[in-house]
mmCIF file of all heavy atoms in Angstrom:
data_model
loop_
_atom_site.group_PDB
_atom_site.id
_atom_site.type_symbol
_atom_site.label_atom_id
_atom_site.label_comp_id
_atom_site.label_asym_id
_atom_site.label_seq_id
_atom_site.Cartn_x
_atom_site.Cartn_y
_atom_site.Cartn_z
ATOM 1 N N MET A 1 -10.439 -6.312 -20.556
ATOM 2 C CA MET A 1 -9.519 -6.777 -19.458
ATOM 3 C C MET A 1 -10.320 -7.653 -18.568
ATOM 4 O O MET A 1 -11.443 -7.491 -18.161
ATOM 5 C CB MET A 1 -9.148 -5.512 -18.770
ATOM 6 C CG MET A 1 -7.984 -5.860 -17.742
ATOM 7 S SD MET A 1 -7.369 -4.385 -16.881
ATOM 8 C CE MET A 1 -6.580 -3.516 -18.210
ATOM 9 N N HIS A 2 -9.636 -8.704 -18.194
ATOM 10 C CA HIS A 2 -10.256 -9.793 -17.353
ATOM 11 C C HIS A 2 -10.409 -9.247 -15.916
ATOM 12 O O HIS A 2 -9.602 -8.381 -15.438
ATOM 13 C CB HIS A 2 -9.403 -11.020 -17.348
ATOM 14 C CG HIS A 2 -10.299 -12.199 -16.990
ATOM 15 N ND1 HIS A 2 -10.165 -12.656 -15.674
ATOM 16 C CD2 HIS A 2 -10.986 -13.067 -17.671
ATOM 17 C CE1 HIS A 2 -10.948 -13.805 -15.626
ATOM 18 N NE2 HIS A 2 -11.474 -14.043 -16.807
ATOM 19 N N TRP A 3 -11.402 -9.733 -15.132
ATOM 20 C CA TRP A 3 -11.680 -9.150 -13.851
ATOM 21 C C TRP A 3 -10.544 -9.476 -12.874
ATOM 22 O O TRP A 3 -10.341 -8.723 -11.917
ATOM 23 C CB TRP A 3 -12.978 -9.692 -13.306
ATOM 24 C CG TRP A 3 -13.048 -11.203 -13.001
ATOM 25 C CD1 TRP A 3 -13.333 -12.186 -13.866
ATOM 26 C CD2 TRP A 3 -12.598 -11.847 -11.776
ATOM 27 N NE1 TRP A 3 -13.181 -13.403 -13.229
ATOM 28 C CE2 TRP A 3 -12.743 -13.177 -11.869
ATOM 29 C CE3 TRP A 3 -12.212 -11.373 -10.506
ATOM 30 C CZ2 TRP A 3 -12.493 -14.105 -11.018
ATOM 31 C CZ3 TRP A 3 -11.932 -12.254 -9.478
ATOM 32 C CH2 TRP A 3 -12.056 -13.668 -9.690
ATOM 33 N N THR A 4 -9.763 -10.570 -13.069
ATOM 34 C CA THR A 4 -8.683 -10.821 -12.136
ATOM 35 C C THR A 4 -7.585 -9.780 -12.281
ATOM 36 O O THR A 4 -6.966 -9.430 -11.282
ATOM 37 C CB THR A 4 -8.088 -12.278 -12.321
ATOM 38 O OG1 THR A 4 -7.779 -12.424 -13.739
ATOM 39 C CG2 THR A 4 -9.178 -13.311 -11.981
ATOM 40 N N ARG A 5 -7.343 -9.344 -13.502
ATOM 41 C CA ARG A 5 -6.354 -8.284 -13.675
ATOM 42 C C ARG A 5 -6.786 -6.938 -13.048
ATOM 43 O O ARG A 5 -6.013 -6.290 -12.468
ATOM 44 C CB ARG A 5 -6.091 -8.064 -15.111
ATOM 45 C CG ARG A 5 -5.380 -9.348 -15.677
ATOM 46 C CD ARG A 5 -4.599 -9.008 -16.860
ATOM 47 N NE ARG A 5 -4.050 -10.260 -17.344
ATOM 48 C CZ ARG A 5 -2.938 -10.375 -18.024
ATOM 49 N NH1 ARG A 5 -2.315 -9.320 -18.314
ATOM 50 N NH2 ARG A 5 -2.501 -11.573 -18.389
ATOM 51 N N ILE A 6 -8.069 -6.666 -13.062
ATOM 52 C CA ILE A 6 -8.616 -5.441 -12.558
ATOM 53 C C ILE A 6 -8.439 -5.536 -11.028
ATOM 54 O O ILE A 6 -8.025 -4.586 -10.359
ATOM 55 C CB ILE A 6 -10.009 -5.182 -12.914
ATOM 56 C CG1 ILE A 6 -10.135 -4.952 -14.422
ATOM 57 C CG2 ILE A 6 -10.629 -4.099 -12.073
ATOM 58 C CD1 ILE A 6 -11.586 -4.931 -15.014
ATOM 59 N N LEU A 7 -8.754 -6.763 -10.390
ATOM 60 C CA LEU A 7 -8.594 -7.012 -9.013
ATOM 61 C C LEU A 7 -7.175 -6.824 -8.611
ATOM 62 O O LEU A 7 -6.801 -6.265 -7.612
ATOM 63 C CB LEU A 7 -9.177 -8.219 -8.691
ATOM 64 C CG LEU A 7 -9.026 -8.646 -7.164
ATOM 65 C CD1 LEU A 7 -9.880 -7.661 -6.276
ATOM 66 C CD2 LEU A 7 -9.555 -10.110 -6.913
ATOM 67 N N GLY A 8 -6.325 -7.391 -9.488
ATOM 68 C CA GLY A 8 -4.844 -7.277 -9.179
ATOM 69 C C GLY A 8 -4.344 -5.924 -9.169
ATOM 70 O O GLY A 8 -3.484 -5.516 -8.314
ATOM 71 N N ILE A 9 -4.766 -5.074 -10.157
ATOM 72 C CA ILE A 9 -4.440 -3.656 -10.142
ATOM 73 C C ILE A 9 -4.874 -2.927 -8.852
ATOM 74 O O ILE A 9 -4.153 -2.156 -8.276
ATOM 75 C CB ILE A 9 -4.895 -2.959 -11.438
ATOM 76 C CG1 ILE A 9 -4.223 -3.516 -12.667
ATOM 77 C CG2 ILE A 9 -4.765 -1.481 -11.322
ATOM 78 C CD1 ILE A 9 -4.830 -3.099 -13.975
ATOM 79 N N ALA A 10 -6.166 -3.216 -8.516
ATOM 80 C CA ALA A 10 -6.662 -2.624 -7.342
ATOM 81 C C ALA A 10 -5.850 -2.992 -6.019
ATOM 82 O O ALA A 10 -5.536 -2.202 -5.163
ATOM 83 C CB ALA A 10 -8.126 -2.965 -7.088
ATOM 84 N N LEU A 11 -5.549 -4.240 -5.985
ATOM 85 C CA LEU A 11 -4.755 -4.791 -4.821
ATOM 86 C C LEU A 11 -3.261 -4.176 -4.809
ATOM 87 O O LEU A 11 -2.763 -3.862 -3.808
ATOM 88 C CB LEU A 11 -4.589 -6.278 -4.799
ATOM 89 C CG LEU A 11 -5.896 -7.009 -4.256
ATOM 90 C CD1 LEU A 11 -5.754 -8.516 -4.510
ATOM 91 C CD2 LEU A 11 -6.067 -6.760 -2.855
ATOM 92 N N LEU A 12 -2.742 -4.070 -5.991
ATOM 93 C CA LEU A 12 -1.406 -3.542 -6.082
ATOM 94 C C LEU A 12 -1.351 -2.017 -5.681
ATOM 95 O O LEU A 12 -0.557 -1.594 -4.897
ATOM 96 C CB LEU A 12 -0.883 -3.668 -7.549
ATOM 97 C CG LEU A 12 0.532 -3.227 -7.785
ATOM 98 C CD1 LEU A 12 1.533 -4.106 -7.015
ATOM 99 C CD2 LEU A 12 0.866 -3.366 -9.269
ATOM 100 N N VAL A 13 -2.364 -1.240 -6.129
ATOM 101 C CA VAL A 13 -2.491 0.159 -5.775
ATOM 102 C C VAL A 13 -2.754 0.220 -4.295
ATOM 103 O O VAL A 13 -2.057 1.032 -3.607
ATOM 104 C CB VAL A 13 -3.472 0.862 -6.565
ATOM 105 C CG1 VAL A 13 -3.886 2.262 -6.077
ATOM 106 C CG2 VAL A 13 -3.101 0.922 -8.106
ATOM 107 N N GLY A 14 -3.731 -0.503 -3.703
ATOM 108 C CA GLY A 14 -4.001 -0.451 -2.393
ATOM 109 C C GLY A 14 -2.743 -0.881 -1.493
ATOM 110 O O GLY A 14 -2.542 -0.246 -0.485
ATOM 111 N N GLY A 15 -2.061 -1.891 -1.882
ATOM 112 C CA GLY A 15 -0.867 -2.293 -1.176
ATOM 113 C C GLY A 15 0.240 -1.255 -1.237
ATOM 114 O O GLY A 15 0.843 -1.052 -0.164
ATOM 115 N N ALA A 16 0.334 -0.593 -2.334
ATOM 116 C CA ALA A 16 1.374 0.507 -2.437
ATOM 117 C C ALA A 16 1.014 1.601 -1.449
ATOM 118 O O ALA A 16 1.851 2.228 -0.781
ATOM 119 C CB ALA A 16 1.457 1.038 -3.833
ATOM 120 N N ILE A 17 -0.327 1.952 -1.356
ATOM 121 C CA ILE A 17 -0.720 3.011 -0.429
ATOM 122 C C ILE A 17 -0.491 2.647 0.979
ATOM 123 O O ILE A 17 0.054 3.443 1.819
ATOM 124 C CB ILE A 17 -2.211 3.347 -0.662
ATOM 125 C CG1 ILE A 17 -2.363 4.048 -2.056
ATOM 126 C CG2 ILE A 17 -2.822 4.196 0.339
ATOM 127 C CD1 ILE A 17 -3.824 4.180 -2.528
ATOM 128 N N LEU A 18 -0.814 1.397 1.321
ATOM 129 C CA LEU A 18 -0.589 0.886 2.684
ATOM 130 C C LEU A 18 0.887 0.828 3.047
ATOM 131 O O LEU A 18 1.300 1.265 4.136
ATOM 132 C CB LEU A 18 -1.145 -0.550 2.904
ATOM 133 C CG LEU A 18 -2.662 -0.633 3.108
ATOM 134 C CD1 LEU A 18 -3.087 -2.111 3.102
ATOM 135 C CD2 LEU A 18 -3.130 0.061 4.329
ATOM 136 N N LEU A 19 1.760 0.443 2.020
ATOM 137 C CA LEU A 19 3.160 0.505 2.365
ATOM 138 C C LEU A 19 3.701 1.927 2.466
ATOM 139 O O LEU A 19 4.569 2.191 3.365
ATOM 140 C CB LEU A 19 3.982 -0.098 1.140
ATOM 141 C CG LEU A 19 3.953 -1.590 1.188
ATOM 142 C CD1 LEU A 19 4.550 -2.134 -0.213
ATOM 143 C CD2 LEU A 19 4.790 -2.220 2.250
ATOM 144 N N TRP A 20 3.218 2.810 1.777
ATOM 145 C CA TRP A 20 3.548 4.266 1.910
ATOM 146 C C TRP A 20 3.184 4.833 3.223
ATOM 147 O O TRP A 20 3.972 5.426 3.907
ATOM 148 C CB TRP A 20 2.910 5.138 0.759
ATOM 149 C CG TRP A 20 3.192 6.531 0.950
ATOM 150 C CD1 TRP A 20 4.372 7.208 0.685
ATOM 151 C CD2 TRP A 20 2.236 7.494 1.466
ATOM 152 N NE1 TRP A 20 4.233 8.521 0.955
ATOM 153 C CE2 TRP A 20 2.978 8.749 1.464
ATOM 154 C CE3 TRP A 20 0.961 7.443 1.896
ATOM 155 C CZ2 TRP A 20 2.369 9.994 1.859
ATOM 156 C CZ3 TRP A 20 0.364 8.649 2.340
ATOM 157 C CH2 TRP A 20 1.095 9.845 2.281
ATOM 158 N N MET A 21 1.964 4.433 3.664
ATOM 159 C CA MET A 21 1.445 4.887 4.971
ATOM 160 C C MET A 21 2.375 4.229 6.091
ATOM 161 O O MET A 21 2.696 4.860 7.107
ATOM 162 C CB MET A 21 0.037 4.428 5.218
ATOM 163 C CG MET A 21 -0.987 5.256 4.367
ATOM 164 S SD MET A 21 -2.658 4.640 4.472
ATOM 165 C CE MET A 21 -3.022 4.788 6.211
ATOM 166 N N GLY A 22 2.682 3.044 5.967
ATOM 167 C CA GLY A 22 3.570 2.324 6.938
ATOM 168 C C GLY A 22 4.942 2.914 7.005
ATOM 169 O O GLY A 22 5.500 3.210 8.119
ATOM 170 N N PHE A 23 5.598 3.196 5.830
ATOM 171 C CA PHE A 23 6.861 3.792 5.883
ATOM 172 C C PHE A 23 6.829 5.234 6.454
ATOM 173 O O PHE A 23 7.817 5.616 7.058
ATOM 174 C CB PHE A 23 7.436 3.731 4.533
ATOM 175 C CG PHE A 23 8.002 2.395 4.095
ATOM 176 C CD1 PHE A 23 7.633 1.801 2.893
ATOM 177 C CD2 PHE A 23 8.929 1.728 4.871
ATOM 178 C CE1 PHE A 23 8.109 0.472 2.574
ATOM 179 C CE2 PHE A 23 9.476 0.462 4.583
ATOM 180 C CZ PHE A 23 9.061 -0.122 3.390
ATOM 181 N N SER A 24 5.825 5.980 6.134
ATOM 182 C CA SER A 24 5.737 7.308 6.632
ATOM 183 C C SER A 24 5.494 7.232 8.148
ATOM 184 O O SER A 24 5.937 8.135 8.907
ATOM 185 C CB SER A 24 4.680 8.198 5.956
ATOM 186 O OG SER A 24 3.378 7.671 6.130
ATOM 187 N N ALA A 25 4.796 6.216 8.647
ATOM 188 C CA ALA A 25 4.558 6.084 10.028
ATOM 189 C C ALA A 25 5.811 5.765 10.876
ATOM 190 O O ALA A 25 5.937 6.117 11.998
ATOM 191 C CB ALA A 25 3.541 5.071 10.357
ATOM 192 N N THR A 26 6.792 5.115 10.227
ATOM 193 C CA THR A 26 8.010 4.719 10.864
ATOM 194 C C THR A 26 8.888 5.983 11.167
ATOM 195 O O THR A 26 9.819 5.910 11.945
ATOM 196 C CB THR A 26 8.851 3.739 10.008
ATOM 197 O OG1 THR A 26 9.233 4.349 8.825
ATOM 198 C CG2 THR A 26 8.062 2.449 9.864
ATOM 199 N N GLU A 27 8.640 7.054 10.468
ATOM 200 C CA GLU A 27 9.452 8.200 10.610
ATOM 201 C C GLU A 27 8.961 9.174 11.724
ATOM 202 O O GLU A 27 9.581 10.318 11.917
ATOM 203 C CB GLU A 27 9.500 9.004 9.249
ATOM 204 C CG GLU A 27 10.098 8.212 8.154
ATOM 205 C CD GLU A 27 11.541 7.851 8.387
ATOM 206 O OE1 GLU A 27 12.251 8.687 8.864
ATOM 207 O OE2 GLU A 27 11.941 6.715 8.054
ATOM 208 N N THR A 28 7.915 8.843 12.345
ATOM 209 C CA THR A 28 7.315 9.790 13.342
ATOM 210 C C THR A 28 8.194 9.634 14.719
ATOM 211 O O THR A 28 8.935 8.656 14.882
ATOM 212 C CB THR A 28 5.914 9.437 13.727
ATOM 213 O OG1 THR A 28 5.822 8.101 14.233
ATOM 214 C CG2 THR A 28 5.002 9.570 12.556
ATOM 215 N N ILE A 29 8.103 10.752 15.461
ATOM 216 C CA ILE A 29 8.971 10.691 16.717
ATOM 217 C C ILE A 29 8.522 9.602 17.679
ATOM 218 O O ILE A 29 9.428 8.909 18.309
ATOM 219 C CB ILE A 29 8.714 12.036 17.392
ATOM 220 C CG1 ILE A 29 9.479 13.174 16.489
ATOM 221 C CG2 ILE A 29 9.451 12.046 18.752
ATOM 222 C CD1 ILE A 29 9.254 14.577 17.028
ATOM 223 N N SER A 30 7.237 9.348 17.778
ATOM 224 C CA SER A 30 6.745 8.301 18.697
ATOM 225 C C SER A 30 7.223 6.912 18.257
ATOM 226 O O SER A 30 7.560 6.073 19.052
ATOM 227 C CB SER A 30 5.219 8.340 18.826
ATOM 228 O OG SER A 30 4.585 8.050 17.611
ATOM 229 N N GLU A 31 7.331 6.636 16.960
ATOM 230 C CA GLU A 31 7.805 5.349 16.480
ATOM 231 C C GLU A 31 9.281 5.235 16.645
ATOM 232 O O GLU A 31 9.770 4.192 16.938
ATOM 233 C CB GLU A 31 7.433 5.105 15.002
ATOM 234 C CG GLU A 31 6.000 4.826 14.762
ATOM 235 C CD GLU A 31 5.608 3.517 15.264
ATOM 236 O OE1 GLU A 31 6.426 2.524 15.288
ATOM 237 O OE2 GLU A 31 4.418 3.252 15.564
ATOM 238 N N ASP A 32 9.996 6.304 16.484
ATOM 239 C CA ASP A 32 11.393 6.345 16.750
ATOM 240 C C ASP A 32 11.661 6.012 18.246
ATOM 241 O O ASP A 32 12.604 5.167 18.539
ATOM 242 C CB ASP A 32 12.114 7.671 16.375
ATOM 243 C CG ASP A 32 12.229 7.871 14.961
ATOM 244 O OD1 ASP A 32 12.183 6.863 14.171
ATOM 245 O OD2 ASP A 32 12.333 9.039 14.537
ATOM 246 N N ILE A 33 10.978 6.610 19.119
ATOM 247 C CA ILE A 33 11.186 6.313 20.554
ATOM 248 C C ILE A 33 10.818 4.917 20.868
ATOM 249 O O ILE A 33 11.562 4.172 21.526
ATOM 250 C CB ILE A 33 10.366 7.321 21.439
ATOM 251 C CG1 ILE A 33 10.892 8.747 21.215
ATOM 252 C CG2 ILE A 33 10.346 6.923 22.903
ATOM 253 C CD1 ILE A 33 10.065 9.745 21.843
#
């Protein structure tokens, strides 16, 4: 597997984790207020 694909997989997983963290942060009471 080429290094760019490995980097792409890492960025995709990291981005998904950040998106999950962001969406879960939007559900807090302080963010709602």
Side-chain angles (χ1 to χ4, degrees):
M1 188 177 294
H2 201 265
W3 69 270
T4 55
R5 293 203 182 207
I6 295 170
L7 179 63
I9 291 169
L11 283 172
L12 186 63
V13 169
I17 291 170
L18 284 174
L19 282 171
W20 176 76
M21 289 173 60
F23 283 125
S24 65
T26 62
E27 299 297 321
T28 61
I29 293 172
S30 62
E31 284 292 331
D32 284 340
I33 293 170

